[in-house]
C-alpha cells in the first residue's frame, strides 16, 4: 500500500516518536493489528468525549431517538 502525504514540518513529538518506532516496515499482519488497536483507542476516546458532552448538556438517549425519527427538510 503506497501512500503519498505532504505532512510538512508540522509533526508533534508523539508523531515523530511513532514514526521512529515504525521506521522499519512490519509484517502486514502486525501492521494491521497495530492499526486496529489505534482505531479502537481513538474510537474509545471519541466515545468518552461524546459522553462528556452529553452529560454537560443534559442530553439523554431519548433525545437521540426523537431526533432520529424527525426530519430536517426545510419547507419550499
Amino acid at each position: 500500500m503506497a501512500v503519498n502525504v505532504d505532512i510538512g514540518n508540522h509533526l508533534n513529538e508523539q508523531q515523530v516518536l511513532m514514526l521512529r518506532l515504525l521506521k522499519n516496515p512490519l509484517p502486514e499482519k502486525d501492521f494491521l493489528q497495530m492499526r486496529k488497536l489505534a482505531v479502537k483507542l481513538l474510537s474509545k476516546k471519541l466515545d468518552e468525549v461524546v459522553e462528556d458532552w452529553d452529560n454537560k448538556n443534559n442530553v439523554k438517549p431519548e433525545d437521540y431517538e426523537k431526533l432520529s425519527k424527525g426530519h430536517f427538510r426545510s419547507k419550499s
Side-chain angles (χ1 to χ4, degrees):
M1 166 174 58
V3 178
N4 293 326
V5 178
D6 180 19
I7 57 175
N9 294 323
H10 305 289
L11 296 177
N12 64 46
E13 185 178 349
Q14 290 178 350
Q15 291 167 322
V16 171
L17 290 173
M18 288 301 291
L19 287 173
R20 285 184 186 150
L21 178 66
L22 299 171
K23 184 178 179 180
N24 296 321
L26 294 171
E28 189 67 19
K29 183 179 177 182
D30 293 343
F31 174 75
L32 289 174
Q33 184 177 4
M34 284 188 66
R35 189 172 171 185
K36 286 179 183 180
L37 289 170
V39 169
K40 189 175 182 179
L41 174 64
L42 293 172
S43 172
K44 181 181 174 190
K45 290 294 180 186
L46 178 60
D47 286 345
E48 290 171 2
V49 169
V50 171
E51 187 175 338
D52 287 346
W53 186 88
D54 284 349
N55 291 336
K56 287 179 185 173
N57 293 286
N58 200 29
V59 177
K60 305 288 183 220
E62 303 83 50
D63 298 322
Y64 287 114
E65 184 66 27
K66 182 178 167 185
L67 285 171
S68 74
K69 300 215 183 313
H71 69 84
F72 299 97
R73 288 183 258 165
S74 61
K75 295 181 180 181
S76 303

